[in-house]
Amino acid sequence: MEELILELKKEIIKVLNLEDMTPEDIDSQAPLFGAGGLGLDSIDVLELIVLLEKHYGIRLANAAEGKKIFTNMENIARYVSENRKR
Amino acid sequence: MATILADNIISPLGSTTQANCQAIRSGKTALRHFSSGTDIRVPFPFTAALFSEEQKRAFAIDGYTPFESLAITSIRETLTTCQIPMDQRTCLLISSTKHEGPLAAQRIAQAVGIITIPIIVCNACISGVSALILADRLIEMQRYDYVIVCGLDLQTTFIMSGFHSLKALSPNECRPFDLERTGLNLGEAAATVILGKKPKKGAWYILASAVRNDAYHSSSPSPKGEGCRMAIEAVMSPAEQPALINAHGTATLYNDQMEARAISQSGLSRIPVNALKGYFGHTMGAAGILETIITMHSLDNQTIIGTRGFEELGVSGNINIIRDNTPTDKTSFLKIISGFGGCNAAIHIAKKLPPLKSKDNENKDRQILHRIVITPKKVQIDNETIDTKGQEGKDLLTHLYKTRINDYPRFYKMDALARLGFVATELLLQKEKETQGQQEHPQRAVIFCNESSSVNADRTFLATISSPENFFPSPSAFVYTLPNIANAEVAIRNQYHGETAFYILPHQDENIMQMLAEATMQDPFNKDLISGWLECKDEDHFQATLTLTTTH
């Protein structure tokens, strides 16, 4: 799981252009949205949906479904490991 | 004040205004369900309003692209009912979100006999109304006697993929303001109007107009509908009784909710509201013009067109959506529209001459406060050249951000055009702060022009849909394929609610840019203005020449 979390952190930094951030800067349990987290927005949710489809073959229908999963890094990793198609 | 002299609509429902009006009055729709068999190559079924092959052949003109042919045919059709002199006093505005560039605009202009330089209004979904507003002001300023405004867009794999990536498309026919709405349908159309300065018996007039920015988000409307409300309030008081408000009503969850909120907050809850996307889909650059024409003609026939697709109210806020065709004897209406980049427009159109405007604004003293030029190798603010430590091109912008700004990580999410606009504006504002001190400027407008539109962002997005095996359209890349997102980034950063607009010109024409700046200042809400040339061919080839102008 730690390995998957690290992989996801690297991918997220890349696709969301979180320049100047390293995987160590992202707390695996910290919220990704809203104040105190990474401050991601609605377009970032959609971009993460593309990421899950492209890398893991997971298709999410809409942003609301995405927002339930993209709460923190641990939750994303858990969801990916349970649902990945590749 | 401008008089609307003539109009034309070419849509899948017909190639004259009359044919379109008749079709929708009898409840017909141009929307069809497609799973294959179109030029649009996407791996999902969709519902859209597309021209048939036969219709495309009908407007095709030898030697011109389908886009050019459609515009030329619509403009020529309009000119058959209204002869105007084709001289220095007549100009052409093309309104389109995915246009074919200024050369195509010039070819269209020449084909219909226009001898002045055409301007493309590329202001996301509000382009059509933006262009009507600009035309009205250019006539009011006595710069032109006649302005032809042609709005159009054709649908492509590019656009369909982008809206799909934003999860904005409904697979079925759209349902504006309805509880069951799930998104929009895209549509193809051209819509043209000719505006003139002289009043004409029985004609419609533009009484008031406004463009305001939410300063909230590049692709989501303000949940409070703030910009939309401000635009409405600028053109209409709660005491007025127009026949209806023709809403944008795209049938996305957020747009319709936002509009409902803005309408009820403006004190216009009792006014009937309709939306026409259930007949034509979202025709993008044509939408604002097409929907204005339909509304004028339906009121000429004493009818408010019903909102096709609407059954049960699915928005909070107290608004009066009209489901079925309804008689009316009123002869004025409000058209509202909102789009990516947080822009919102409202226009009040009526069958009566407006009261004479006070000329206060024209006498105001305008002053250029600061000027910045950024090229890949040079940065100059006022007359001072900045030491760029040998940084060039893309690296120069990052260098400027890191050494002089560095408190807005969103910079890294922006495309090259928006980065350029952001950095240039930040440096301009730092200069302002040095001389004027820290101040809020909620009424500041941001107007950019260039010749390459969003060409660099277009390439980035195309790379994400390059083949069926590698089809992962990027929503963030798609958003930047609208050049006016560069304006939005500046408005959001600085909380500017003034007008935002992007215009495409064949070259950096100072006279036209000056004219566009003056046109913006016709709205007294726009107290000051950041404007100029913002060109980006690719990440290493760009030029920003921006000024900060204030009124006293």
Side-chain angles (χ1 to χ4, degrees), chain A residues 63-78:
Chain A
E65 215 177 304
K67 259 202 144 161
K68 277 187 227 151
I69 299 155
F70 308 140
T71 48
N72 62 39
M73 292 308 304
E74 275 187 0
N75 280 337
I76 300 179
R78 193 174 309 123

Side-chain angles (χ1 to χ4, degrees), chain B residues 371-375 378-386 544:
Chain B
R371 183 168 187 271
I372 184 166
V373 179
I374 301 182
T375 67
K378 197 180 85 176
V379 181
Q380 195 177 356
I381 307 176
D382 297 334
N383 287 318
E384 179 197 352
T385 302
I386 306 288

Side-chain angles (χ1 to χ4, degrees), chain A residues 16-20 40-44 46-47 49-50 53-54 60-63 86, chain B residues 165-167 217-220 402 406 409-410 412-413 470 472-477 479:
Chain A
L16 301 186
N17 295 307
L18 304 173
E19 203 84 6
D20 296 339
L40 305 188
D41 70 3
S42 55
I43 286 287
D44 294 323
L46 297 172
E47 206 61 64
I49 290 177
V50 176
E53 183 174 350
K54 193 169 174 176
L60 299 182
N62 54 50
R86 56 177 177 257
Chain B
S165 77
L166 293 170
K167 308 276 182 205
H217 190 268
S218 58
S219 60
S220 305
K402 281 189 173 165
N406 213 29
R410 191 177 160 75
Y412 294 109
K413 291 176 178 279
N470 200 12
F472 298 103
S474 160
S476 56
V479 168

Side-chain angles (χ1 to χ4, degrees), chain A residues 7-27 30-33 37-41 43-45 47-48 51 73 76, chain B residues 398 401-402 408-414 419 476:
Chain A
E7 177 184 306
L8 279 164
K9 283 181 180 174
K10 284 182 185 164
E11 282 302 328
I12 287 175
I13 287 171
K14 200 169 94 188
V15 301
L16 301 186
N17 295 307
L18 304 173
E19 203 84 6
D20 296 339
M21 283 201 93
T22 63
E24 294 76 54
D25 295 335
I26 306 176
D27 181 340
L32 294 174
F33 293 88
L38 291 182
L40 305 188
D41 70 3
I43 286 287
D44 294 323
V45 175
E47 206 61 64
L48 292 180
L51 174 92
M73 292 308 304
I76 300 179
Chain B
T398 312
Y401 170 75
K402 281 189 173 165
Y408 200 64
R410 191 177 160 75
F411 168 79
Y412 294 109
K413 291 176 178 279
M414 298 177 195
R419 284 185 183 194
S476 56

Side-chain angles (χ1 to χ4, degrees), chain B residues 306-546:
Chain B
T307 305
R308 194 178 188 282
F310 173 77
E311 290 294 335
E312 190 182 342
L313 191 67
V315 289
S316 62
N318 181 15
I319 61 164
N320 176 17
I321 305 290
I322 298 298
R323 192 187 74 165
D324 302 311
N325 292 356
T326 304
T328 180
D329 56 5
K330 296 199 167 99
T331 52
S332 75
F333 66 97
L334 183 65
K335 166 72 196 146
I336 59 173
I337 197 158
S338 300
F340 285 156
C343 46
N344 305 270
I347 188 163
H348 182 186
I349 294 182
K351 226 172 177 171
K352 63 172 182 198
L353 281 164
L356 278 177
K357 266 190 208 163
S358 70
K359 299 276 177 188
D360 289 358
N361 200 42
E362 282 175 23
N363 301 327
K364 276 193 185 147
D365 189 22
R366 278 183 218 122
Q367 184 194 352
I368 292 182
L369 269 189
H370 300 290
R371 183 168 187 271
I372 184 166
V373 179
I374 301 182
T375 67
K377 292 187 177 177
K378 197 180 85 176
V379 181
Q380 195 177 356
I381 307 176
D382 297 334
N383 287 318
E384 179 197 352
T385 302
I386 306 288
D387 181 6
T388 54
K389 312 276 186 214
Q391 301 286 337
E392 288 184 10
K394 180 171 84 172
D395 296 338
L396 170 60
L397 295 181
T398 312
H399 167 78
L400 290 171
Y401 170 75
K402 281 189 173 165
T403 55
R404 291 169 178 266
I405 306 164
N406 213 29
D407 64 348
Y408 200 64
R410 191 177 160 75
F411 168 79
Y412 294 109
K413 291 176 178 279
M414 298 177 195
D415 82 318
L417 182 71
R419 284 185 183 194
L420 178 65
F422 175 78
V423 168
T425 307
E426 285 291 306
L427 300 189
L428 204 57
L429 297 178
Q430 285 176 4
K431 204 72 185 168
E432 182 193 24
K433 208 164 125 187
E434 275 173 32
T435 54
Q436 317 281 312
Q438 177 83 34
Q439 283 172 24
E440 304 285 307
H441 300 279
Q443 290 180 234
R444 185 165 281 174
V446 185
I447 307 298
F448 295 142
C449 303
N450 78 8
E451 62 177 281
S452 300
S453 195
S454 56
V455 65
N456 187 61
D458 291 1
R459 278 193 296 265
T460 307
F461 179 69
L462 271 175
T464 71
I465 55 168
S466 54
S467 66
E469 305 76 50
N470 200 12
F471 183 87
F472 298 103
S474 160
S476 56
F478 182 65
V479 168
Y480 286 101
T481 67
L482 296 161
N484 69 308
I485 302 301
N487 306 59
E489 296 291 3
V490 173
I492 295 165
R493 162 75 157 174
N494 299 293
Q495 289 302 295
Y496 295 159
H497 292 286
E499 183 163 333
T500 49
F502 210 108
Y503 302 107
I504 316 289
L505 306 174
H507 52 89
Q508 192 178 347
D509 186 315
E510 294 298 336
N511 280 333
I512 293 186
M513 294 203 312
Q514 179 61 30
M515 176 183 89
L516 293 169
E518 273 173 40
T520 308
M521 298 307 243
Q522 294 293 303
D523 180 344
F525 182 88
N526 299 321
K527 278 194 177 158
D528 37 30
L529 172 69
I530 292 171
S531 66
W533 190 250
L534 190 72
E535 167 70 16
C536 175
K537 290 196 165 47
D538 61 49
E539 289 191 339
D540 289 307
H541 297 87
F542 50 77
Q543 188 204 333
T545 305
L546 303 184

Side-chain angles (χ1 to χ4, degrees), chain B residues 1 21 23 93 176 232 245 284 303 317 335 345 355 370 421 452 504 528:
Chain B
M1 169 226 79
C21 288
L93 306 180
I232 294 172
I245 301 171
M284 306 200 339
T303 306
K335 166 72 196 146
H370 300 290
S452 300
I504 316 289
D528 37 30

